Amino acid sequence: MGAPMNDGPKDPFPAPGIDYRQLAENIKRWAVELGFQAAAITDVDLSEHEPGFLEWLELGFHGEMGYMARHGLKRCRPAELEPGTRRIISLRMDYLPSKAEEPWSVLENSRLAYISRYALGRDYHKLMRKRLQQLARKIETVVGAFGYRAFVDSAPVLEKPIAEKAGLGWLGKHTNVISRDAGSWFFLGELFTDLPLPRDPPTTDNHCGDCVACIDICPTRAIVAPGKLDARRCISYLTIEYRGVIPLELRPLIGNRIYGCDDCQLVCPWNRFARYSVEADFQPRHGLDAAALTTLFRWTEAEFLERLQGSPIRRIGHECWRRNIAVAMGNAEPDAEIVELLANARDAASEMLREHIDWALARQQTRRGG
Ligand code: SF4
């Protein structure tokens, strides 16, 4: 956290003593030096997104992500969320790991576990937050103490519309931000600030055109219309955010995706322009890019916690981890080792996990023809 932000006069250009245009240029250069691939600046008016956001909530598309509703319209009103905010610096950090197994080959092998590309290495939150703090300190060397607050993938912030408004890319039909020259495999972070920095032009062109590849490939039909995602059907939501019993009708569609889903990004033609991350932290750890389901299911809770130290996966906990793997094992080709593992795990499992194990055992049995 920086100094508290105060409500000041709007757009007090030019502020005495500080060349804000030069500062904005410097901020973008420092951001790149700190490992971000792009930075752009926008204001706090996201009012055009309010109706769509409210409709999405009213339709219940946020599922059990109560935090989405909790902040209400503050999500669309950054100056209410953080009083005094005048500008938002939106930053992009690419995460595609260069040393990971080819994704389709993992998705097509039902004995392997598919984990979303962003979660193969260390947690990005800590790394990005640290870099945002470093950027704020650089700014401080020029302007002295100033009001700011850093956000990384944070619930109260509409980070994608902010990035679009800052000019970092357009909102694709799959609801992710796409950059014309870098695709969509990137994280977003924001620095809310009270500095009257000049704004960058928004992205006004949408380059999806007639393409509907992401809508067509979505295994659970979660993209119900261009730019409209029913999170309750989204595999990323079901395997990461959702802690309960996965709906029966969706389980067969999940395939071997045990943590997140990348299909809409894998199929997007703009990702031929994606660039590999330069961060060692985002490279796969513990062979998570192509691990056998049986290997991961065997991890005890202690092993899960130890091996996934510093990984975003750790947050879902050992029970949901095994729940997700059980579903994938139910979807796997008939396999005696899988059946044995599931059967052995059944009695000690929680009620929720046991329900998924029983489903998986029944699926294995049906597919074995008996
Ligand atoms: S797959 Fe096609 S429709 Fe979907 S986001 Fe990419 S370009 Fe847009």
Side-chain angles (χ1 to χ4, degrees):
M1 281 288 286
M5 292 198 249
N6 301 310
D7 276 318
K10 300 280 178 233
D11 290 330
F13 291 118
I18 294 170
D19 181 344
Y20 283 101
R21 287 187 195 285
Q22 185 57 53
L23 179 59
E25 289 310 308
N26 289 344
I27 287 171
K28 291 170 196 171
R29 184 167 50 78
W30 293 332
V32 171
E33 288 168 6
L34 286 167
F36 293 100
Q37 277 66 49
I41 300 162
T42 189
D43 59 34
V44 294
D45 179 11
L46 299 173
S47 52
E48 70 170 289
H49 293 280
E50 289 185 6
F53 175 64
L54 288 175
E55 187 201 24
W56 186 75
L57 286 179
E58 269 161 30
L59 289 167
F61 283 0
H62 59 301
E64 292 188 6
M65 293 184 284
Y67 54 82
M68 288 284 184
R70 209 166 300 134
H71 291 278
L73 284 175
K74 275 191 184 175
R75 282 171 58 84
C76 306
R77 297 174 185 172
E80 285 184 22
L81 183 70
E82 192 61 38
T85 301
R86 286 196 190 100
R87 295 289 183 263
I88 303 172
I89 307 168
S90 175
L91 299 110
R92 183 189 110 211
M93 185 177 279
D94 298 342
Y95 65 72
L96 195 63
S98 57
K99 297 186 184 120
E101 188 66 39
E102 202 279 314
W104 292 115
S105 69
V106 179
L107 283 166
E108 282 159 14
N109 186 337
S110 72
R111 286 186 57 84
L112 299 182
Y114 186 84
I115 292 176
S116 190
R117 304 290 88 180
Y118 85 84
L120 295 173
R122 288 187 182 278
D123 198 338
Y124 58 98
H125 291 89
K126 216 167 131 190
L127 180 141
M128 285 183 72
R129 212 182 299 278
K130 195 169 147 205
R131 305 275 175 92
L132 287 172
Q133 291 294 346
Q134 288 172 325
L135 180 61
R137 276 200 291 277
K138 285 239 183 212
I139 299 171
E140 242 164 21
T141 62
V142 176
V143 301
F146 72 106
Y148 72 87
R149 186 167 168 196
F151 292 95
V152 179
D153 190 17
S154 177
V157 178
L158 282 189
E159 58 175 10
K160 294 171 184 177
I162 288 170
E164 184 182 51
K165 195 166 187 210
L168 290 185
W170 75 95
L171 285 166
K173 288 176 189 169
H174 53 20
T175 74
N176 295 307
V177 179
I178 307 175
S179 156
R180 261 193 99 142
D181 54 0
S184 62
W185 300 103
F186 51 78
F187 299 122
L188 291 168
E190 299 78 34
L191 207 58
F192 282 29
T193 170
D194 60 358
L195 297 174
L197 294 160
R199 287 164 286 196
D200 287 303
T203 309
T204 49
D205 294 336
N206 183 310
H207 299 281
C208 283
D210 293 336
C211 175
V212 285
C214 54
I215 296 176
D216 287 348
I217 198 141
C218 177
T220 52
R221 299 267 157 219
I223 308 170
V224 296
K228 279 206 169 63
L229 183 79
D230 184 348
R232 295 167 303 182
R233 298 187 67 81
C234 174
I235 295 173
S236 286
Y237 166 76
L238 291 168
T239 57
I240 300 172
E241 308 283 345
Y242 181 64
R243 297 285 182 265
V245 173
I246 295 177
L248 283 171
E249 71 276 15
L250 297 179
R251 291 184 201 176
L253 309 175
I254 289 174
N256 61 347
R257 299 165 188 83
I258 66 157
Y259 188 92
C261 174
D262 289 332
D263 288 34
C264 61
Q265 296 198 85
L266 287 170
V267 82
C268 180
W270 287 99
N271 271 333
R272 64 180 182 267
F273 301 113
R275 303 164 194 185
Y276 287 120
S277 168
V278 294
E279 301 292 339
D281 273 10
F282 299 159
Q283 294 298 339
R285 299 163 77 213
H286 301 295
L288 286 176
D289 53 326
L293 292 168
T294 48
T295 303
L296 300 182
F297 194 76
R298 279 196 181 91
W299 286 3
T300 62
E301 183 161 19
E303 286 166 339
F304 169 83
L305 293 173
E306 195 264 316
R307 290 178 189 165
L308 296 180
Q309 193 119 37
S311 157
I313 301 172
R314 205 171 189 258
R315 272 194 299 271
I316 69 169
H318 188 239
E319 187 191 22
C320 284
W321 169 251
R322 295 191 106 198
R323 172 200 66 179
N324 297 348
I325 303 171
V327 170
M329 294 205 293
N331 292 328
E333 291 299 311
D335 185 297
E337 187 191 0
I338 285 180
V339 172
E340 192 189 339
L341 253 183
L342 287 166
N344 288 342
R346 189 185 178 281
D347 287 350
S350 67
E351 197 182 327
M352 189 274 279
L353 179 56
R354 196 178 316 131
E355 196 275 340
H356 292 79
I357 288 176
D358 286 344
W359 175 85
L361 279 168
R363 286 263 296 174
Q364 278 282 327
Q365 239 99 53
T366 312
R367 300 171 103 198
R368 282 157 76 102

